[in-house]
Amino acid sequence: MNSNIKNTIISKIDDKSLILAKNLIENEELVAFPTETVYGLGGLATSDTAVKKIFEAKGRPQDNPLIVHVHKDYDLTQLVCIDFDYVYKLIDAFLPGPLTMVFRGKGNVSKLVSCGLDTLAVRIPSSKGAQAFLKAVNLPIAAPSANVSKHTSPVTAEHVYNDLNGKIDLILDGGKCEGGIESTVLDVTCEVPRILRSGLVTISMIKKVVGNCVYAENKQTDKVMSPGVKYTHYTPKCDTILFDRKDYLKAQNFYDNLVKQGKNPYFLCDDIIYEKLSGNHLSLGITGEEIASNLYYRLLEGEKIADFIIGITVDSGSDIDNGIMNRMSKACKKA
Ligand code: TXA
Ligand code: MG
């Protein structure tokens, strides 16, 4: 038997499991925990050993930096420099919540967290489970999404187990993550904040609070980029294809042809466009919030029951669509 194989347990969040989580973290082991966006795979951010284990467990590329998570009463200035006053407005408006900010780091966590960059991404998640875990450990926790690299991000403890069983000791079970897509990543090292990854805190919400905000183009020449955006992501373990919603008739045709070949396809789409289609449906709902909340859950359901997922682009009218389409177009192959 391989002694590296761990007996992974899933536990609800209570005093006993929080003590175990704290012990594991202090011993440089990993703990998966729920947040309001997706489950995170947490390790002690100040430990090279723990951070290396995160990269190994996920099979994550070595140049894709991690976000450090802290509880709501943690003093961020222990970790980062706040260079612009607008950051305080963002903290007031959105934290705790699904907004990660990239600051100049102070060098107080393992260098492996930021993969050699001089910046550090920090986030204060809002979910009860995340806060309970972070309060119990009272230490900065480096955590990417708790999936094997490239696979769809997990939104339940069972999803985490399916990817990381045998690789980690503990999964704290806080039920289904309501947000459903990862946090917005915002570069706050410049005068105008720049969105590196879209999420539930949208450009219009940020503009309302600080006046201005732009999308980063993630060019090689940018001072701060989000290295993660260049990688394949979120892909389920079955065939996929993505159609534009104006091409819904082509999508129906594609579906019908698969059925003729004896295949079992499912549409992955919002309920508005589904009214024009017929066949199996992984329902995403109607509003931007609903669609974000359902996206990974349905992709992970789909990979179990479908042999082909036919995605259709969404148009909920909300600028959350930006974050949704960023994920959906990586999860599904282009038609
Ligand atoms: O909602 C979330 O953000 C979840 C939960 C667990 O908190 N975490 C998450 O982590 O999505 P991950 O590792 O899957 O994605 C982190 C993203 C990547 O795109 C990475 O490139 C970017 O944040 N990032 C991290 N540190 C950075 C830095 N110093 N500069 C620029 N981008 C950074
Ligand atoms: Mg991820």
Side-chain angles (χ1 to χ4, degrees):
M1 206 178 99
N2 184 340
S3 60
N4 289 327
I5 295 179
K6 293 175 181 295
N7 174 29
T8 305
I9 58 169
I10 302 182
S11 174
K12 64 179 186 331
I13 302 174
D14 55 21
D15 290 349
K16 202 171 142 211
S17 62
L18 288 172
I19 290 171
L20 175 59
K22 181 176 162 64
N23 284 337
L24 287 165
I25 291 294
E26 286 173 354
N27 285 309
E28 303 174 300
E29 298 291 350
L30 308 183
V31 174
F33 63 100
T35 81
E36 74 279 25
T37 59
V38 301
Y39 274 72
L41 176 61
L44 184 58
T46 50
S47 156
D48 287 351
T49 307
V51 175
K52 266 188 206 152
K53 283 182 184 170
I54 294 175
F55 281 90
E56 277 164 21
K58 277 184 68 89
R60 184 178 176 102
Q62 296 291 333
D63 64 346
N64 190 7
L66 307 176
I67 298 170
V68 170
H69 297 61
V70 292
H71 63 72
K72 64 180 173 32
D73 302 316
Y74 196 93
D75 175 11
L76 292 182
T77 62
Q78 285 190 55
L79 300 174
V80 296
C81 309
I82 298 180
D83 289 330
F84 295 96
D85 285 342
Y86 69 76
V87 171
Y88 297 103
K89 292 189 188 167
L90 292 172
I91 291 173
D92 271 356
F94 301 117
L95 298 190
L99 175 68
T100 296
M101 287 189 271
V102 177
F103 301 89
R104 267 192 311 127
K106 284 192 172 167
N108 294 336
V109 298
S110 162
K111 282 192 172 60
L112 304 177
V113 169
S114 288
C115 305
L117 301 170
D118 55 10
T119 51
L120 185 68
V122 182
R123 142 163 164 75
I124 303 178
S126 62
S127 79
K128 242 173 94 186
Q131 281 296 322
F133 166 65
L134 293 166
K135 232 359 217 256
V137 295
N138 197 24
L139 291 165
I141 297 296
S145 48
N147 52 288
V148 165
S149 207
K150 298 189 171 65
H151 192 213
T152 311
S153 305
V155 292
T156 67
E158 191 194 334
H159 295 158
V160 179
Y161 187 85
N162 292 342
D163 266 23
L164 298 177
N165 177 26
K167 294 185 177 173
I168 60 174
D169 294 279
L170 176 65
I171 302 167
L172 292 172
D173 186 353
K176 181 169 178 273
C177 305
E178 277 313 306
I181 59 172
E182 296 86 346
S183 62
T184 304
V185 179
L186 187 71
D187 172 13
V188 295
T189 67
C190 33
E191 250 162 78
V192 175
R194 297 185 322 139
I195 294 181
L196 303 175
R197 179 178 72 183
S198 302
L200 293 171
V201 174
T202 65
I203 193 162
S204 57
M205 289 161 74
I206 295 170
K207 278 185 181 167
K208 225 184 235 170
V209 172
V210 301
N212 206 355
C213 179
V214 293
Y215 287 114
E217 292 169 39
N218 280 294
K219 290 186 297 222
Q220 286 301 326
T221 48
D222 287 349
K223 193 176 64 155
V224 174
M225 298 195 301
S226 200
V229 297
K230 71 177 184 229
Y231 290 107
T232 319
H233 268 319
Y234 320 119
T235 45
K237 292 175 183 160
C238 61
D239 283 331
T240 56
I241 188 161
L242 181 66
F243 285 93
D244 192 287
R245 62 196 291 114
K246 71 174 177 356
D247 295 328
Y248 68 90
L249 286 174
K250 283 188 193 158
Q252 183 72 59
N253 229 337
F254 192 87
Y255 180 99
D256 294 341
N257 278 328
L258 286 171
V259 171
K260 271 186 213 146
Q261 294 164 35
K263 295 247 168 72
N264 183 31
Y266 273 72
F267 290 114
L268 174 77
C269 62
D270 61 70
D271 297 355
I272 300 292
I273 197 73
Y274 185 65
E275 284 176 14
K276 299 184 176 173
L277 298 165
S278 83
N280 296 323
H281 180 207
L282 296 159
S283 163
L284 291 176
I286 293 175
T287 66
E289 281 88 357
E290 272 170 2
I291 297 170
S293 179
N294 289 325
L295 183 64
Y296 294 152
Y297 191 85
R298 292 296 185 217
L299 277 165
L300 289 166
E301 184 187 349
E303 73 175 17
K304 283 193 173 159
I305 59 178
D307 45 28
F308 224 115
I309 292 178
I310 303 172
I312 298 185
T313 60
V314 305
D315 183 11
S316 75
S318 151
D319 62 354
I320 295 176
D321 288 357
N322 217 294
I324 295 165
M325 285 320 305
N326 167 286
R327 273 68 172 189
M328 213 169 165
S329 56
K330 285 179 184 151
C332 302
K333 293 199 188 79
K334 261 216 168 75

